[in-house]
Amino acid sequence: MPSLLHYEIVTDPTSLQASADGAPSVGTVYIVVSNTHQEEVDWRYIDVAVPLGPERDRLTDDRPAIKPDVDITWSTPLNLENPTFEWDETEQAFRVHVPQAPTAKQRFPSQASMTLTLDNIPITRDGGLVLLTIREETGLSEGPTKIKMGTYTTTLAVVKQTPRVPRNFHPASALVDGDTGGQLELRWNGPDNLHYWIHRPDGPVDHIEPFPGSVVTDRPYSRSVPVPKRGTTYTLIAGTNDGGQQQRGYFLTTTVHAIIPEFGSGTRSLWVEGTVDKGRIGFTADGVDVRDPQHDLGRVTADKADVDRVITRLVQGRTNDNGWITFPDSGVNVYHGPTNVPGVVTAARADVDGVNTKWAGSRDAGAGWVEFTPSGASLHKDGNGAPGDITAGKANLQSVNTKWIGDRDGGKGWIGFPENGIDVRGNGTDAWGTVHAGKADVDGVNTKWVQGRSTSDGWIDFPTSGIRVYRDGGNNRGDVIAHKADLNSVNTMWVGDRDGGKGWIEFPENGVDVRKGSGQVWGTVSADTADLNSVTAKWVEGPNGTKSRLAFTDTGVKITDPDGHRGTIVAGETNVRSVVTPWVSGPMPDAGWIAFRVEGVDVMRDSEVSFGTIRAATYEDKQGGTGRALHRRLPPYDWPPKSQ
């Protein structure tokens, strides 16, 4: 006999999907129980036996996960509870009954219904038909036909369906870091009798062939592609490829996003906004516009900015307490802190046309500083008003007013400025120091002595009587070397040439000695004119050694020609006591001559050995005297002859 109650089964989803690897399936089974009779049906319980296990014909292998529930369309008597639907361990089924009176008969009103819900059922793997057994204990106690209480069974069926189309197309990671490179795995599930094509947006297509065999199995698939640099959508197309004709029937897409997208050809946007702080960059006709979350002008923070030009009202450090720079019409103003207090400019170098400031100091404000007064500049030290030191590689000044000038360490030479001039001191003391210079242009120099740069050089002493020149840093008299000397007198032991190897003049007590070479050999005096009271010489000769010579012997003067033969005296007048000569001739080439022989005198003529004529005027004829023969008596012989 069939069950007295009528049963209908409905599932959600309509077709229960069998679970697969990585894709568990959960479903709900609704059993609608209704009384189609005209009379009430008596009932004690209704059991729903669900096949349990992993097999193909079993619905689930996780019974505790199922959540049963019951809903009735009638009202129960006030003295009874509503029916419950729960697991009965004894019957190994889900039982609906009234727990207050489990053995008492209950009334199922005519035309009423009851819905039994089995929710959150984990569906087992593999598709197939699953049979659910419904057992009821019911009866009819009213109406024309009476049926006593009995147990009746009804079998209902649901279908577990395996996927027939691809599904679950997704990346292993939907958010990737394109900077790391590597591969991205795309995954999906689908029947293994289909062709699969993965289309990438940049053009390549990956093709996956179907598995051979007649049994269609739902399989997990995966394919690796390079990690994209920006957001990328992949398209999975499934279909057949019968006879070379592609029949593409299923399309799935999945999108992968890059943490930091990279666009090789650029991107266009009206504006870009932050994710948390909501700062915004807008793109204007002439550049970019940076705004804060309130859309006021915002701040750009960067390690380095390389721009051609910056147009701004002010520039400031990263915090409000940092210094800041404004740009008025007149130039640049530097401030510090949140007020308008002028700040400090710190730089390795500043190249400006001018600096207007009250003072300039060191970075730590505890060292030297320069104050600019109406009269000029004042240098101070130690951060206070005490006068300080100037240290510089070079100073170009019109004047320097100072008490003294010294070296950097204060232990060497220094210059003092007394009222009467300059004092040079040495060794950081009051001892007189040394002046070293390439050139000194002064009106006068007052010094005890002057010396070359080395202590072994020559030096000049300045005694009361004049100057003394010494050599070798000692007290030996030195040499004076000059192009020209204009002196009233020269007192010296001797005078020589510059190199000391030629002639020299010595000044003994009795006159002047002229020497040659570097020894004591007598030298030669060459002069245009010599005005002397006397000359004492061994001999006198014409210039260049090519003229006659006068030799001074013990008996008188000997005249020789350049060949050493006896020479000739030519004179307008000769005043001598005697003449010893073999002959005497007139001045003309053909003049007569007189030979002096033992016997007497021979008068010759015409340069020949023939007697000539003696002609003589009388003294009287010449002088108007007594007629004596001409004879002038010379005055007494004076020696040495006096210069006229």
Side-chain angles (χ1 to χ4, degrees):
M1 183 176 178
S3 298
L4 297 181
L5 297 175
H6 180 73
Y7 298 92
E8 294 286 344
I9 190 165
V10 180
T11 62
D12 182 18
T14 304
S15 177
L16 295 177
Q17 295 292 322
S19 295
D21 292 336
S25 177
V26 177
T28 302
V29 174
Y30 300 96
I31 300 174
V32 180
V33 184
S34 59
N35 180 9
T36 60
H37 298 280
Q38 298 298 320
E39 298 85 9
E40 292 181 340
V41 175
D42 300 325
W43 67 284
R44 287 194 177 95
Y45 64 85
I46 301 173
D47 289 339
V48 179
V50 178
L52 302 177
E55 291 80 3
R56 179 187 296 270
D57 60 348
R58 305 304 171 95
L59 183 62
T60 183
D61 56 2
D62 187 6
R63 195 271 311 164
I66 300 175
K67 297 178 181 180
D69 194 16
V70 60
D71 184 29
I72 61 176
T73 61
W74 71 88
S75 297
T76 59
L78 295 177
N79 61 339
L80 294 178
E81 298 177 355
N82 286 329
T84 62
F85 188 41
E86 56 192 2
W87 175 254
D88 190 320
E89 190 67 32
T90 302
E91 298 298 330
Q92 290 292 298
F94 290 94
R95 170 168 287 191
V96 59
H97 66 109
V98 178
Q100 186 179 0
T103 60
K105 292 190 295 181
Q106 306 296 327
R107 295 286 186 176
F108 199 118
S110 174
Q111 308 303 315
S113 65
M114 175 191 299
T115 302
L116 305 178
T117 302
L118 297 173
D119 193 16
N120 195 44
I121 303 173
I123 309 301
T124 56
R125 298 171 59 88
D126 300 327
L129 186 66
V130 177
L131 301 178
L132 280 72
T133 302
I134 310 297
R135 295 187 299 272
E136 64 177 43
E137 184 180 0
T138 58
L140 287 174
S141 60
E142 297 179 358
T145 304
K146 302 289 192 294
I147 301 174
K148 65 178 181 179
M149 297 291 291
T151 301
Y152 303 96
T153 301
T154 299
T155 301
L156 300 177
V158 295
V159 176
K160 294 188 302 178
Q161 190 178 52
T162 57
R164 302 302 175 92
V165 296
R167 70 192 188 285
N168 197 24
F169 183 46
H170 66 283
S173 176
L175 187 63
V176 297
D177 186 355
D179 294 336
T180 62
Q183 297 288 309
L184 171 67
E185 187 177 42
L186 300 177
R187 301 170 181 173
W188 71 97
N189 295 82
D192 59 5
N193 64 334
L194 296 177
H195 290 261
Y196 295 98
W197 295 271
I198 297 177
H199 288 254
R200 306 183 204 172
D202 55 354
V205 177
D206 296 324
H207 180 212
I208 298 90
E209 296 280 351
F211 283 83
S214 59
V215 179
V216 178
T217 303
D218 186 72
R219 295 176 180 270
Y221 286 86
S222 67
R223 179 56 57 99
S224 293
V225 295
V227 172
K229 296 288 186 179
R230 60 181 180 272
T232 302
T233 298
Y234 300 92
T235 302
L236 175 67
I237 301 176
T240 61
N241 195 11
D242 298 334
Q245 297 294 323
Q246 295 182 2
Q247 303 293 329
R248 301 183 179 185
Y250 304 100
F251 294 81
L252 297 175
T253 61
T254 187
T255 300
V256 177
H257 297 279
I259 297 175
I260 303 176
E262 177 181 313
F263 300 94
S265 300
T267 184
R268 291 186 175 91
S269 176
L270 183 63
W271 49 266
V272 177
E273 189 173 74
T275 57
V276 178
D277 296 330
K278 302 298 183 181
R280 176 179 292 189
I281 299 176
F283 299 93
T284 63
D286 57 354
V288 297
D289 189 14
V290 178
R291 299 284 176 172
D292 63 12
Q294 288 72 41
H295 297 174
D296 294 327
L297 288 175
R299 176 179 295 180
V300 176
T301 302
D303 176 62
K304 183 178 180 181
D306 187 351
V307 296
D308 290 335
R309 183 173 58 173
V310 175
I311 299 175
T312 181
R313 184 176 65 86
L314 64 86
V315 176
Q316 188 177 17
R318 286 193 168 93
T319 68
N320 291 331
D321 293 330
N322 291 151
W324 50 288
I325 302 172
T326 63
F327 302 90
D329 294 338
S330 59
V332 176
N333 292 335
V334 178
Y335 302 98
H336 72 87
T339 64
N340 290 336
V341 178
V344 178
V345 176
T346 302
R349 182 178 179 183
D351 186 352
V352 295
D353 290 335
V355 176
N356 293 328
T357 181
K358 186 176 179 180
W359 57 269
S362 64
R363 287 190 172 97
D364 57 11
W369 59 285
V370 180
E371 182 182 15
F372 298 94
T373 63
S375 60
S378 298
L379 182 67
H380 304 280
K381 67 178 181 179
D382 301 330
N384 54 43
D389 298 334
I390 294 178
T391 302
K394 183 177 181 181
N396 187 357
L397 308 170
Q398 290 184 349
S399 64
V400 177
N401 293 328
T402 181
K403 187 177 179 180
W404 57 270
I405 295 176
D407 68 292
R408 285 191 173 98
D409 59 12
K412 299 181 181 178
W414 59 282
I415 300 174
F417 298 93
E419 294 181 359
N420 60 349
I422 296 176
D423 291 341
V424 179
R425 309 287 182 173
N427 301 322
T429 66
D430 289 333
W432 292 110
T434 302
V435 176
H436 295 271
K439 183 178 181 181
D441 187 353
V442 295
D443 290 337
V445 177
N446 292 329
T447 180
K448 184 178 180 181
W449 52 269
V450 177
Q451 189 179 21
R453 286 193 171 94
S454 173
T455 56
S456 61
D457 291 342
W459 58 285
I460 301 173
D461 187 22
F462 299 92
T464 306
S465 59
I467 63 172
R468 294 193 183 103
V469 179
Y470 298 96
R471 60 183 295 174
D472 302 330
N475 292 321
N476 296 324
R477 296 182 184 272
D479 298 335
V480 176
I481 299 174
H483 173 66
K484 183 177 181 181
D486 187 354
L487 307 171
N488 291 333
S489 64
V490 177
N491 293 328
T492 180
M493 186 175 178
W494 56 270
V495 177
D497 67 290
R498 283 193 172 96
D499 57 14
K502 299 181 181 179
W504 56 284
I505 300 173
E506 186 179 15
F507 301 92
E509 294 180 359
N510 60 351
V512 177
D513 291 344
V514 178
R515 310 285 183 177
K516 69 178 180 179
S518 59
Q520 296 293 322
V521 178
W522 293 109
T524 302
V525 177
S526 299
D528 178 60
T529 302
D531 186 355
L532 307 171
N533 291 332
S534 65
V535 176
T536 301
K538 187 176 181 181
W539 51 265
V540 178
E541 186 180 58
N544 302 326
T546 60
K547 305 296 182 181
S548 298
R549 174 182 292 187
L550 295 178
F552 301 94
T553 64
D554 293 339
T555 58
V557 178
K558 182 179 180 181
I559 300 174
T560 58
D561 61 16
D563 297 327
H565 303 133
R566 290 183 177 182
T568 303
I569 295 176
V570 179
E573 181 179 347
T574 302
N575 184 1
V576 297
R577 288 184 178 180
S578 63
V579 176
V580 178
T581 179
W583 55 269
V584 177
S585 174
M588 293 76 71
D590 296 330
W593 52 286
I594 301 172
F596 298 92
R597 303 182 180 280
V598 178
E599 296 86 358
V601 177
D602 292 338
V603 179
M604 304 296 176
R605 65 173 183 176
D606 301 329
S607 299
E608 299 176 356
V609 185
S610 60
F611 291 105
T613 302
I614 296 176
R615 293 180 181 178
T618 63
Y619 191 84
E620 185 176 22
D621 292 337
K622 191 71 175 176
Q623 301 292 335
T626 60
R628 291 186 300 167
L630 176 61
H631 179 76
R632 181 194 303 175
R633 183 166 180 84
L634 296 175
Y637 188 82
D638 293 330
W639 184 260
K642 300 185 185 299
S643 176
Q644 299 296 324

